[in-house]
Amino acid sequence: TERAWTEEFEEANRGFAGLPYRVHCAPGNHDVRWAPMGPLGFKRHIGPVRQLFTHRGCAFLILDSTVPLSHWGHVGGPQRRWIRDQLERIGRDTPVFVFLHHPVGRGSGVDDDEALAETLAPFNVRVIFTGHGHSDLLWNWHGTAVTMGKGLYQGSYQHARVDTLAGEIHVSRRTADDPSLTRFLAVPLAPATAHAHEPAHAHEPEHAHAHEPEPDQLPYVWRHPLGGGVMSRLLLDGGTLFVSAMDGSVNAIRADDGAPIWRAGTGDFCHSSPVLAGENVIVGS
């Protein structure tokens, strides 16, 4: 959708109903960016924001990289734990194709993509399909081929075909400039070797791995692990630090040494900052 309005979701469902095949959707930033209820509209009208299904020996992993009220992408600790559990269930040799809206290994994409890379590393991930950047691109990320689709309304789409006899997946692209499907990527279904995959056509743009962050310049006083990322301001009151996280938790931590005081769960993500009202801590979820 453009603005996550109910009528937009309904129009999408009418379009899907006229197709001769089933459609699986990954949410994008426009589906939550201006939505008062965040991803709830997508869940109610379209379906789950993340899912894993298998078909003919392959696994298809659809992820939610959206952040309410935000343009960038984030996977988050709770979803990474879900990914690990789901992929462990199907086995580490099953070919996996990953779909998410925001790109990984590129700017304006997923801000915790290195943590996602660690989660995916033990499994046989063959291709990652992304969008968001409105460009037709192909690059290598930690030895895995990643594609970006420009946009269907811009005359571009991709078609992937699994050739079990050849033991490969072939990915082709149609663009407004070249309306014929042209193969630009061939990837073996078997687990990757030490060599990164090379794109089928040299003219396709390639991009190097994301740069590793610089070592921390400031010493840590203490660390306290949280169940999800923090998208809100921290609240310091006396000797207590209050933190809300995207796993739906509100945490009270002792400020001098990081020791936990208490932790409460809200049932869904916390995108807002905690405030004090007398003896109560209030947070939006």
Side-chain angles (χ1 to χ4, degrees):
T1 65
E2 178 68 20
R3 299 177 180 86
W5 291 348
T6 296
E7 52 264 37
E8 290 181 318
F9 286 121
E10 292 174 345
E11 183 179 1
N13 279 326
R14 287 193 295 270
F16 297 152
L19 296 173
Y21 44 79
R22 183 177 177 184
V23 177
H24 299 267
C25 298
N29 58 297
H30 282 254
D31 294 316
V32 303
R33 190 174 181 181
W34 297 284
M37 298 299 289
L40 289 182
F42 186 96
K43 294 178 182 178
R44 290 171 178 170
H45 297 283
I46 303 299
V49 294
R50 64 190 185 204
Q51 56 183 306
L52 174 75
F53 63 93
T54 57
H55 182 68
R56 295 187 179 182
C58 295
F60 301 85
L61 183 66
I62 299 176
L63 302 180
D64 176 19
S65 60
T66 65
V67 179
L69 307 179
S70 302
H71 179 71
W72 73 87
H74 181 78
V75 173
Q79 185 168 212
R80 291 197 302 272
R81 290 189 287 274
W82 175 87
I83 293 169
R84 182 195 61 226
D85 293 343
Q86 293 290 313
L87 294 183
E88 286 285 7
R89 183 170 55 83
I90 65 170
R92 299 197 174 192
D93 291 332
T94 301
V96 180
F97 307 107
V98 179
F99 302 81
L100 73 166
H101 180 75
H102 294 83
V104 291
R106 295 179 60 86
S108 73
V110 176
D111 64 4
D112 60 343
D113 56 357
E114 290 304 303
L116 176 62
E118 293 180 8
T119 301
L120 296 175
F123 304 101
N124 187 23
V125 177
R126 302 288 75 216
V127 185
I128 300 175
F129 298 88
T130 73
H132 189 64
H134 296 273
S135 300
D136 291 319
L137 299 176
L138 168 68
W139 67 97
N140 183 289
W141 181 62
H142 294 288
T144 300
V146 186
T147 77
M148 177 185 291
K150 186 174 184 178
L152 187 59
Y153 76 98
Q154 295 169 304
S156 177
Y157 65 83
Q158 296 177 80
H159 179 272
R161 178 177 178 268
V162 176
D163 188 334
T164 54
L165 292 178
E168 293 182 332
I169 176 174
H170 302 149
V171 186
S172 301
R173 177 179 286 135
R174 186 266 194 206
T175 67
D177 296 331
D178 183 5
S180 61
L181 274 173
T182 302
R183 183 190 301 179
F184 67 96
L185 178 67
V187 177
L189 291 172
T193 64
H195 301 286
H197 303 307
E198 294 295 334
H201 295 290
H203 65 266
E204 285 284 344
E206 271 209 67
H207 302 271
H209 295 171
H211 295 295
E212 292 293 327
E214 293 295 324
D216 297 319
Q217 299 300 312
L218 296 174
Y220 284 98
V221 177
W222 52 260
R223 296 190 185 195
H224 178 79
L226 297 173
V230 177
M231 301 292 178
S232 55
R233 293 185 179 91
L234 281 61
L235 173 64
L236 180 63
D237 182 67
T240 303
L241 184 68
F242 298 97
V243 187
S244 61
M246 293 297 281
D247 66 338
S249 67
V250 183
N251 305 268
I253 303 169
R254 203 159 61 195
D256 57 353
D257 60 5
I261 301 173
W262 53 259
R263 181 181 186 275
T266 68
D268 211 332
F269 64 86
C270 290
H271 194 263
S272 64
S273 305
V275 297
L276 288 176
E279 294 299 312
N280 296 316
V281 179
I282 299 175
V283 64
S285 173

PDB file of all heavy atoms in Angstrom, residues 108-121:
ATOM      1  N   SER A 108      20.517   2.746   3.783  1.00  0.00           N
ATOM      2  CA  SER A 108      19.067   2.919   3.893  1.00  0.00           C
ATOM      3  C   SER A 108      18.331   1.592   3.925  1.00  0.00           C
ATOM      4  O   SER A 108      17.198   1.479   3.495  1.00  0.00           O
ATOM      5  CB  SER A 108      18.507   3.788   2.748  1.00  0.00           C
ATOM      6  OG  SER A 108      18.499   3.088   1.516  1.00  0.00           O
ATOM      7  N   GLY A 109      19.022   0.569   4.423  1.00  0.00           N
ATOM      8  CA  GLY A 109      18.409  -0.743   4.491  1.00  0.00           C
ATOM      9  C   GLY A 109      18.133  -1.170   5.915  1.00  0.00           C
ATOM     10  O   GLY A 109      17.538  -0.435   6.696  1.00  0.00           O
ATOM     11  N   VAL A 110      18.599  -2.377   6.256  1.00  0.00           N
ATOM     12  CA  VAL A 110      18.365  -2.958   7.575  1.00  0.00           C
ATOM     13  C   VAL A 110      19.511  -2.562   8.499  1.00  0.00           C
ATOM     14  O   VAL A 110      20.679  -2.845   8.206  1.00  0.00           O
ATOM     15  CB  VAL A 110      18.262  -4.493   7.465  1.00  0.00           C
ATOM     16  CG1 VAL A 110      18.120  -5.122   8.841  1.00  0.00           C
ATOM     17  CG2 VAL A 110      17.083  -4.873   6.580  1.00  0.00           C
ATOM     18  N   ASP A 111      19.179  -1.932   9.633  1.00  0.00           N
ATOM     19  CA  ASP A 111      20.242  -1.413  10.493  1.00  0.00           C
ATOM     20  C   ASP A 111      20.891  -2.487  11.361  1.00  0.00           C
ATOM     21  O   ASP A 111      21.942  -2.247  11.952  1.00  0.00           O
ATOM     22  CB  ASP A 111      19.736  -0.257  11.355  1.00  0.00           C
ATOM     23  CG  ASP A 111      18.648  -0.669  12.331  1.00  0.00           C
ATOM     24  OD1 ASP A 111      18.321  -1.862  12.401  1.00  0.00           O
ATOM     25  OD2 ASP A 111      18.118   0.223  13.034  1.00  0.00           O
ATOM     26  N   ASP A 112      20.285  -3.673  11.457  1.00  0.00           N
ATOM     27  CA  ASP A 112      20.911  -4.770  12.206  1.00  0.00           C
ATOM     28  C   ASP A 112      21.188  -5.954  11.285  1.00  0.00           C
ATOM     29  O   ASP A 112      21.038  -7.114  11.673  1.00  0.00           O
ATOM     30  CB  ASP A 112      20.054  -5.187  13.403  1.00  0.00           C
ATOM     31  CG  ASP A 112      18.656  -5.664  13.004  1.00  0.00           C
ATOM     32  OD1 ASP A 112      18.231  -5.372  11.867  1.00  0.00           O
ATOM     33  OD2 ASP A 112      17.988  -6.323  13.832  1.00  0.00           O
ATOM     34  N   ASP A 113      21.612  -5.656  10.052  1.00  0.00           N
ATOM     35  CA  ASP A 113      21.802  -6.732   9.080  1.00  0.00           C
ATOM     36  C   ASP A 113      22.975  -7.641   9.436  1.00  0.00           C
ATOM     37  O   ASP A 113      22.971  -8.819   9.065  1.00  0.00           O
ATOM     38  CB  ASP A 113      21.947  -6.189   7.653  1.00  0.00           C
ATOM     39  CG  ASP A 113      23.071  -5.182   7.495  1.00  0.00           C
ATOM     40  OD1 ASP A 113      23.718  -4.849   8.512  1.00  0.00           O
ATOM     41  OD2 ASP A 113      23.312  -4.725   6.363  1.00  0.00           O
ATOM     42  N   GLU A 114      23.977  -7.153  10.162  1.00  0.00           N
ATOM     43  CA  GLU A 114      25.077  -8.026  10.552  1.00  0.00           C
ATOM     44  C   GLU A 114      24.602  -9.089  11.542  1.00  0.00           C
ATOM     45  O   GLU A 114      25.049 -10.236  11.497  1.00  0.00           O
ATOM     46  CB  GLU A 114      26.232  -7.210  11.136  1.00  0.00           C
ATOM     47  CG  GLU A 114      26.962  -6.356  10.104  1.00  0.00           C
ATOM     48  CD  GLU A 114      27.489  -7.187   8.943  1.00  0.00           C
ATOM     49  OE1 GLU A 114      28.259  -8.136   9.199  1.00  0.00           O
ATOM     50  OE2 GLU A 114      27.129  -6.908   7.784  1.00  0.00           O
ATOM     51  N   ALA A 115      23.697  -8.713  12.435  1.00  0.00           N
ATOM     52  CA  ALA A 115      23.117  -9.699  13.343  1.00  0.00           C
ATOM     53  C   ALA A 115      22.266 -10.703  12.566  1.00  0.00           C
ATOM     54  O   ALA A 115      22.255 -11.898  12.879  1.00  0.00           O
ATOM     55  CB  ALA A 115      22.283  -9.006  14.415  1.00  0.00           C
ATOM     56  N   LEU A 116      21.558 -10.227  11.530  1.00  0.00           N
ATOM     57  CA  LEU A 116      20.796 -11.139  10.678  1.00  0.00           C
ATOM     58  C   LEU A 116      21.719 -12.095   9.940  1.00  0.00           C
ATOM     59  O   LEU A 116      21.418 -13.284   9.794  1.00  0.00           O
ATOM     60  CB  LEU A 116      19.951 -10.344   9.683  1.00  0.00           C
ATOM     61  CG  LEU A 116      19.173 -11.161   8.654  1.00  0.00           C
ATOM     62  CD1 LEU A 116      18.155 -12.074   9.339  1.00  0.00           C
ATOM     63  CD2 LEU A 116      18.474 -10.244   7.644  1.00  0.00           C
ATOM     64  N   ALA A 117      22.866 -11.596   9.474  1.00  0.00           N
ATOM     65  CA  ALA A 117      23.833 -12.451   8.775  1.00  0.00           C
ATOM     66  C   ALA A 117      24.306 -13.584   9.682  1.00  0.00           C
ATOM     67  O   ALA A 117      24.443 -14.730   9.236  1.00  0.00           O
ATOM     68  CB  ALA A 117      25.020 -11.622   8.293  1.00  0.00           C
ATOM     69  N   GLU A 118      24.548 -13.295  10.946  1.00  0.00           N
ATOM     70  CA  GLU A 118      24.975 -14.333  11.884  1.00  0.00           C
ATOM     71  C   GLU A 118      23.875 -15.377  12.078  1.00  0.00           C
ATOM     72  O   GLU A 118      24.159 -16.571  12.212  1.00  0.00           O
ATOM     73  CB  GLU A 118      25.346 -13.698  13.220  1.00  0.00           C
ATOM     74  CG  GLU A 118      26.597 -12.818  13.168  1.00  0.00           C
ATOM     75  CD  GLU A 118      26.915 -12.210  14.509  1.00  0.00           C
ATOM     76  OE1 GLU A 118      26.261 -12.596  15.509  1.00  0.00           O
ATOM     77  OE2 GLU A 118      27.811 -11.354  14.578  1.00  0.00           O
ATOM     78  N   THR A 119      22.622 -14.922  12.097  1.00  0.00           N
ATOM     79  CA  THR A 119      21.503 -15.850  12.270  1.00  0.00           C
ATOM     80  C   THR A 119      21.366 -16.774  11.066  1.00  0.00           C
ATOM     81  O   THR A 119      21.098 -17.973  11.211  1.00  0.00           O
ATOM     82  CB  THR A 119      20.202 -15.069  12.473  1.00  0.00           C
ATOM     83  OG1 THR A 119      20.336 -14.219  13.625  1.00  0.00           O
ATOM     84  CG2 THR A 119      19.013 -15.998  12.672  1.00  0.00           C
ATOM     85  N   LEU A 120      21.547 -16.238   9.854  1.00  0.00           N
ATOM     86  CA  LEU A 120      21.364 -17.016   8.632  1.00  0.00           C
ATOM     87  C   LEU A 120      22.572 -17.883   8.284  1.00  0.00           C
ATOM     88  O   LEU A 120      22.442 -18.845   7.523  1.00  0.00           O
ATOM     89  CB  LEU A 120      21.066 -16.078   7.460  1.00  0.00           C
ATOM     90  CG  LEU A 120      19.774 -15.271   7.530  1.00  0.00           C
ATOM     91  CD1 LEU A 120      19.699 -14.313   6.344  1.00  0.00           C
ATOM     92  CD2 LEU A 120      18.546 -16.175   7.563  1.00  0.00           C
ATOM     93  N   ALA A 121      23.747 -17.552   8.821  1.00  0.00           N
ATOM     94  CA  ALA A 121      24.997 -18.191   8.393  1.00  0.00           C
ATOM     95  C   ALA A 121      24.985 -19.719   8.467  1.00  0.00           C
ATOM     96  O   ALA A 121      25.520 -20.381   7.564  1.00  0.00           O
ATOM     97  CB  ALA A 121      26.169 -17.625   9.204  1.00  0.00           C
TER      98      ALA A 121
END
